[in-house]
Amino acid sequence: MAEKLRNESLELSGIAAAALGATEPIQVKFDASPGEEKPTERISIRDVAKEAGVSVATVSMVLNENPRISRATHIRVQRVIDNMGYRPNRLAQSLSSRYTQVLAVMLPPLRHAFADAYFGEILSGISDRAGKLGHKLLIEQAKPQYIKEGKHIELYERRFVDGVLCLGFNEKHTFLSDLRQYPMILVDNRFGDGMLDYVHCDYRMGAKQAMNCLLQLGHRNVGMIYAAPESPTARDVLEVYTTELRNAGIDPKESWLADGCFTDEGGAAAAHLLTTRDKDITALLCGNDKMALGAIRYLVEHGHKVPQDISVVGFDDIQHLAYANPSLTTVHLPLYELGVAACERLVNRIRGKVDRVTDVLPTHLVLRESTSIVRTR
Amino acid sequence: MAEKLRNESLELSGIAAAALGATEPIQVKFDASPGEEKPTERISIRDVAKEAGVSVATVSMVLNENPRISRATHIRVQRVIDNMGYRPNRLAQSLSSRYTQVLAVMLPPLRHAFADAYFGEILSGISDRAGKLGHKLLIEQAKPQYIKEGKHIELYERRFVDGVLCLGFNEKHTFLSDLRQYPMILVDNRFGDGMLDYVHCDYRMGAKQAMNCLLQLGHRNVGMIYAAPESPTARDVLEVYTTELRNAGIDPKESWLADGCFTDEGGAAAAHLLTTRDKDITALLCGNDKMALGAIRYLVEHGHKVPQDISVVGFDDIQHLAYANPSLTTVHLPLYELGVAACERLVNRIRGKVDRVTDVLPTHLVLRESTSIVRTR
DNA sequence: AGATTTTGTTAAACTGATTAAACAGTTAAA
DNA sequence: TTTAACTGTTTAATCAGTTTAACAAAATCT
C-alpha cells in the first residue's frame, strides 16, 4: 500500500496550475487539410485490377494469399493496393465468402449487465482473442421481446454473425436450444447434459477448495448463500458443499441454505436470514463475490466481526474487491481465460471442427482476510 | 433496508432441498426433432418472387415498405414471405443500400473497460436506443496497435459500421480527428472546441452544485481530487471549483489539488497526499465516485472520520455505491440518458442531418451521508 | 375520343467481392 | 516426340439484395 501511495500525483505542474489561473486551451493538431475532405471515390477491386494490369480474380487471390499466385505478381499487385490505399469492402467479401468474421456476445437482460465485473472479465478475454483471430464482436441482450421475435435466430439467418457466445444463462433459458444447430458456445455453464458446446470453470473443484479451507479452519456449521439453483454449475457447488460436509461427518441442515440471487443486496438478505435462523453458523460459503460482499456488509453492520465471528468465502475473485475491508478470501475463477477459451473454441467450430466442446477450467483458492480459525466459545 | 431483507429467499423448496439429497436432473424440452437438422436451403428473394408470382423488385419493395406497392400486392407478398419464413440477407442488403445498420462503441484501452460502471451505464443507454432504432452494436477498444494500423478508419472504409460512439476519450487522443469526416459522436467530452459532434454532461453545473453544497455546510478548505486534466470536461470542474472558492472569498491553494487518475487506488493516494500536505482540509471534491470511494477508504483507515472530520463529494452516482458506508454524496450524471442521446444523435447524423451536435445534459446533486457541516475546532 | 397523368410492376444494371472452371504456357515423364 | 502434369492467370458465374428507368394499364383532363 505504501508503494501505491507514493507514485501518484507528486507533480502538480502546468495543467493543474493553469486550472487555478489562466485557462490555456490545449493545442490540437490536425494532420489533414482544414477544409472539407473530398468524399474520396470508393476504390473497388476493379480499379486495382485495372491499375495493376491484372484481372480482378488475381487481385482477390492476392488479397487472400492464395498460393496459386506467383511471388512476383503478389508483390506487384500488393504494391498497387498499398499505393491506392485500397481496402476491400467486407460486406461484399462476406456475401460471397461463407463468413462474416463477426461473433455475437449474448448477455442476459439484466439492467447492469454491461457494468458487471463478472461479465466484464469474460468479455475482456473474448474481445482480446476475437481481435487476434480477426473477428469483430457484436453485443446483444436476450430480452424477452428479443427472443420472442426470434432475433437470436436472425443473428445467424440474416448473416449478422458466424457464431454466438452466451454468457450468464442456464437451463431455464430454453431459447438456447434454438441455437443448437448453429455455432454457439455456452460460457460458464452446461446445458441439457451435453446438448450444447460449453466452456466453464470447475465449480466442483472450487467448491472443494473452499470447503477444505473452511473445514481445516475448524468450521463445522457452515452456511451457504447460493443462487440460481437451476444452473448446473451452481448445483455443482451446492452438491460439493453437502458432500464435503457429510464426508467430514457433519449433517448439513436445510436452514443453512439461502438464495442470494447473485446480488449484493441478496447476499445481505441471505446473511440476515441465515444468522437469525441459526445462531451457531461460523462460516458462510457464497456463490459469488458480490453476495459475499453483501453478506460481509450486513454482518459487520449488525455486530458480527468478520472473520473473528464468522468467516466468509466468495467465488469469482473480482478485481478491486481485494481492497475491501476485510479483503475477501475467494475461489479464483479464470474468467479472462474462460473468455479466451470460449472464443477460441467457437472460431474452431465455425471453421469446421466438429467435436463437441466441453472444456472445464481449473480454479484455485485465494486466501485473504475474511477467513480465520473457528471461534472458540 | 428492512424492506430489502424480508422479501428474499424465504422459500427453500424443491431445488435447494434436492441439492441436499438426490440430484434430480432438470428436464429440458426441445421443440425440434431429436436428430440433426437438415441444413435448410437458404431461401432467397428470388424464391419468394417466384412463389408469389411477382418480380424480385416487387418483393424488395414490399420488404422496404415502398409506397409504390399497392396494398393488395403488399399483403399477398407479405403472406408468402411469412409462410416461407424468408429472412433477407443483410449483407446483401447493406451491400446495395447505403447503410449497414451497425454502430461501433469505441472504448479506451483500459484493462477493465468492459467491467466499468461508468461505461456500463452509458452503454446500457446506447444499447437500448440502438435496439429501438434497428441498429446493432459493435464493441471496439482503441489500443495503440489498433490505431496504428488504422483499424478505426477501416471501421467505416470497409463498411463495418455507419457510425461510431467514442467513450472515455479526450483531447489527448488525437486519433479522434481521423474520424472527423465520418459520422461520429464523442460521448461525455468535447474536442478541439467544436471540431467534433459531442454529447456530454454539464460538469460545470455539477461542480457548481457540489461546491454550493460544501460551501453552505461551512467548508472553506476544500481539496480536490481531479483526473485527466487534458479533458475539457475535467477542466470544467477544476475551473468551477476555483471560481466558486474565489467567489466565496477563499484563495484556492495549489496544495489542495491532487490527481487521482480516475481510479480507486488513485483516489486513496490522492487523499493521502492532500491530508498530509494540508492538515486543515475539511472537505474533498472528487472527479468521480471511484476516487471518492478510494479516498473515503483511505481516510477511514487512517483515523479520519467521514463525514465528521472530512466531507467527501463524488461525481457519477454509480449504482450500488449508494450502499457504501458512509453512503456517498455525489453529483448525479445522467449517464444512461447520455447514451440514449448520443445514439439518437448519431443515427440522425447518419441519416443525413447536418447540424453539429453539441448537447449538454443537466446534473443534480444527491445528498447522502458522506457530507456534513464543517467540524468546529 | 384522344392526350396526359398517375399507378403499379418489372427488366436490367449495380453493389464489390469470391471461386470454379477454362485456358495458355511450361516442365516432366513415357 | 507425344502425352501428361503443373503453373499462373483469366473468364464468367455467383452471392442476395436495391434501385433506376421503362412500360403497360388505369384514371383524369381537355
Side-chain angles (χ1 to χ4, degrees), chain B residues 38-257:
Chain B
K38 290 169 213 155
T40 327
E41 313 279 314
R42 293 223 142 285
I43 305 161
S44 84
I45 196 169
R46 280 159 237 270
D47 302 321
V48 176
K50 198 174 291 171
E51 182 75 15
V54 295
S55 72
V56 290
T58 302
V59 180
S60 171
M61 290 169 128
V62 168
L63 244 31
N64 295 294
E65 311 206 312
N66 190 313
R68 293 205 301 183
I69 294 295
S70 70
R71 185 117 199 78
T73 312
H74 190 292
I75 292 172
R76 188 159 47 86
V77 174
Q78 188 62 55
R79 188 160 301 151
V80 175
I81 289 175
D82 293 342
N83 284 341
M84 298 181 77
Y86 165 68
R87 305 183 199 249
N89 180 322
R90 74 152 257 293
L91 291 170
Q93 287 184 315
S94 299
L95 181 58
S96 32
S97 74
R98 283 175 54 68
Y99 306 109
T100 66
Q101 307 273 80
V102 178
L103 310 177
V105 175
M106 185 71 71
L107 295 172
L110 305 169
R111 175 69 179 74
H112 293 100
F114 295 125
D116 188 273
Y118 169 83
F119 292 131
E121 190 65 15
I122 300 176
L123 249 157
S124 264
I126 293 173
S127 170
D128 286 354
R129 197 41 158 217
K132 271 178 198 141
L133 294 171
H135 286 254
K136 296 283 181 190
L137 236 45
L138 223 51
I139 39 172
E140 303 280 296
Q141 263 193 302
K143 304 195 177 169
Q145 184 65 9
Y146 179 96
I147 299 299
K148 215 168 290 165
E149 291 174 0
K151 298 269 188 208
H152 58 309
I153 299 170
E154 280 194 1
L155 241 31
Y156 298 94
E157 295 271 303
R158 301 195 52 200
R159 311 217 40 212
F160 278 101
V161 304
D162 295 333
V164 176
L165 294 153
C166 293
L167 274 60
F169 297 104
N170 59 52
E171 295 192 335
K172 250 193 183 161
H173 303 103
T174 49
F175 77 88
L176 289 172
S177 61
D178 299 339
L179 309 183
R180 201 172 24 141
Q181 53 190 311
Y182 306 102
M184 192 270 274
I185 306 258
L186 181 58
V187 181
D188 212 17
N189 229 327
R190 298 186 297 274
F191 186 95
D193 213 18
M195 300 298 314
L196 302 176
D197 289 344
Y198 64 82
V199 174
H200 67 71
C201 299
D202 195 335
Y203 280 84
R204 305 192 72 91
M205 179 191 279
K208 206 164 286 182
Q209 290 160 340
M211 289 306 291
N212 269 352
C213 166
L214 291 175
L215 291 168
Q216 278 178 26
L217 289 170
H219 295 278
R220 297 187 58 82
N221 300 335
V222 180
M224 156 131 210
I225 302 179
Y226 67 91
E230 62 274 16
S231 154
T233 48
R235 281 206 303 277
D236 285 348
V237 178
L238 272 167
E239 281 171 30
V240 170
Y241 160 79
T242 56
T243 310
E244 291 296 309
L245 282 179
R246 290 226 175 87
N247 288 350
I250 303 159
D251 195 33
K253 299 197 233 166
E254 245 196 57
S255 64
W256 289 354
L257 287 174

Side-chain angles (χ1 to χ4, degrees), chain A residues 159-232:
Chain A
R159 311 217 39 211
F160 278 102
V161 304
D162 294 333
V164 176
L165 294 154
C166 294
L167 274 60
F169 298 104
N170 59 51
E171 296 193 334
K172 248 194 183 159
H173 302 104
T174 49
F175 78 88
L176 289 172
S177 61
D178 299 340
L179 309 183
R180 202 172 25 141
Q181 52 189 312
Y182 307 102
M184 191 271 273
I185 306 256
L186 181 57
V187 182
D188 212 17
N189 230 325
R190 298 186 297 275
F191 187 95
D193 212 17
M195 299 301 314
L196 302 176
D197 288 344
Y198 64 80
V199 175
H200 67 70
C201 300
D202 195 337
Y203 280 85
R204 304 193 73 92
M205 179 191 281
K208 207 165 287 184
Q209 290 160 341
M211 289 306 291
N212 270 351
C213 167
L214 291 174
L215 291 168
Q216 278 178 27
L217 290 170
H219 295 279
R220 298 186 57 83
N221 300 335
V222 180
M224 156 129 210
I225 301 179
Y226 66 92
E230 62 275 15
S231 154

Side-chain angles (χ1 to χ4, degrees), chain B residues 276-351:
Chain B
T276 53
R277 210 158 49 181
D278 195 322
K279 311 283 184 199
D280 294 331
I281 283 178
T282 63
L284 288 175
L285 174 62
C286 304
N288 73 355
D289 282 355
K290 257 194 253 175
M291 296 192 293
L293 264 288
I296 290 178
R297 184 165 49 75
Y298 170 84
L299 293 173
V300 169
E301 284 176 6
H302 290 76
H304 303 88
K305 282 188 188 141
V306 178
Q308 294 83 344
D309 298 336
I310 299 190
S311 291
V312 177
V313 181
F315 252 89
D316 280 358
D317 195 19
I318 291 302
Q319 303 297 317
H320 295 286
L321 291 193
Y323 299 99
N325 194 352
S327 62
L328 188 64
T329 293
T330 192
V331 175
H332 174 86
L333 303 183
L335 297 176
Y336 180 90
E337 293 75 12
L338 192 71
V340 169
C343 190
E344 182 84 33
R345 297 284 183 249
L346 179 59
V347 171
N348 281 341
R349 252 305 165 89
I350 290 165
R351 292 184 181 162

Side-chain angles (χ1 to χ4, degrees), chain A residues 73-136:
Chain A
T73 312
H74 189 293
I75 291 172
R76 188 159 47 85
V77 174
Q78 188 61 57
R79 188 160 301 150
V80 176
I81 289 175
D82 293 342
N83 283 342
M84 298 180 78
Y86 164 69
R87 304 183 201 250
N89 179 322
R90 75 150 257 293
L91 292 171
Q93 287 185 314
S94 298
L95 182 58
S96 32
S97 75
R98 283 178 56 67
Y99 305 110
T100 65
Q101 306 273 82
V102 178
L103 310 177
V105 175
M106 185 71 70
L107 295 172
L110 305 169
R111 176 66 180 76
H112 293 100
F114 295 125
D116 187 274
Y118 169 82
F119 292 131
E121 191 65 14
I122 300 177
L123 219 71
S124 264
I126 293 173
S127 170
D128 286 354
R129 196 43 157 216
K132 270 177 199 142
L133 294 171
H135 286 254
K136 297 282 182 190

